[in-house]
Amino acid sequence: DDIRAIIINTRNTIYKAVNTGILEANWKIGRRIVEEEQAGASRAEYGQRVINDLAEKLSVEFGRGFDARELRRYRQFYLLFPKWDALRPELTWTHYRTLIRVENERARLYYMNEAALQNWSTRALDSQIERLTYERILSSQNQLIVKEAEDSHRPTSSKTRMCSTFSVFRVA
């Protein structure tokens, strides 16, 4: 039983180290691509050429995983998560590939944090995003705010108007 625990702990340690290494490499590659683009012309065609040239060189040397589409993902990863220390090490590269597709920054951060806290698989994360969980929570909170505002500002006169900030004004 003790030996079994040693094996499981060692495997978990190795898994975390490999995952952190993959995330760090992809983030650093993304940062380097952004820096290269900024050092050159800011034109989109220049950036595309940088990625295509790099993809060609890296694919020859390292094989799959470094095509232009994947390098664009690394670039986007860095642009969306520019602070290395803000990444959640509990999440895998596949989690982050899914999060990159979320356009709303607040929603993306919500899904990132919930995936880490709730230990969501990438399939569970994808499902939560597809079901618009963040947007539904936000919507239900807004409905609660409106209801509370209506209840707390119940007018004495029947002639009232509701403004967009949930304040009720008496109409004279």
Side-chain angles (χ1 to χ4, degrees):
D1 206 33
D2 185 40
I3 293 173
R4 184 178 178 281
I6 291 169
I7 293 169
I8 290 170
N9 287 336
T10 302
R11 284 182 177 174
N12 287 337
T13 301
I14 292 167
Y15 172 79
K16 288 176 186 176
V18 168
N19 184 58
T20 300
I22 290 169
L23 287 177
E24 185 176 10
N26 294 349
W27 186 85
K28 285 180 175 180
I29 291 168
R31 182 180 65 189
R32 186 66 184 100
I33 290 168
V34 169
E35 289 171 352
E36 178 68 23
E37 287 175 344
Q38 290 173 347
S42 59
R43 298 187 325 259
E45 66 184 53
Y46 176 79
Q48 187 62 39
R49 192 171 65 238
V50 167
I51 289 175
N52 288 338
D53 290 348
L54 186 59
E56 192 174 316
K57 291 174 188 173
L58 293 175
S59 293
V60 168
E61 186 171 351
F62 298 106
R64 287 185 32 187
F66 296 99
D67 61 11
R69 184 175 63 181
E70 200 64 17
L71 293 179
R72 280 191 291 278
R73 280 194 188 113
Y74 300 160
R75 178 185 176 277
Q76 190 70 11
F77 179 46
Y78 172 75
L79 290 171
L80 294 176
F81 302 97
K83 295 181 181 176
W84 169 253
D85 294 337
L87 294 177
R88 301 297 301 254
E90 308 94 316
L91 302 181
T92 65
W93 171 239
T94 308
H95 283 98
Y96 282 103
R97 282 181 58 177
T98 301
L99 290 167
I100 287 169
R101 297 188 324 237
V102 178
E103 292 181 25
N104 180 315
E105 181 181 3
R106 288 183 177 179
R108 187 172 44 253
L109 293 176
Y110 165 82
Y111 290 121
M112 179 181 74
N113 289 324
E114 285 300 307
L117 293 171
Q118 302 297 327
N119 199 26
W120 288 344
S121 66
T122 54
R123 186 173 279 176
L125 172 61
D126 202 38
S127 175
Q128 295 294 328
I129 292 169
E130 284 180 20
R131 291 192 314 213
L132 301 172
T133 302
Y134 172 78
E135 292 78 2
R136 288 174 185 238
I137 290 171
L138 192 61
S139 175
S140 67
Q141 288 175 345
N142 285 343
Q143 290 172 4
L144 182 61
I145 291 168
V146 170
K147 175 82 171 109
E148 288 172 357
E150 288 173 348
D151 290 346
S152 67
H153 293 97
R154 196 68 65 202
T156 55
S157 168
S158 62
K159 295 181 180 179
T160 61
R161 276 210 178 104
M162 178 78 80
C163 81
S164 64
T165 58
F166 309 121
S167 298
V168 177
F169 294 97
R170 232 174 133 189
V171 178

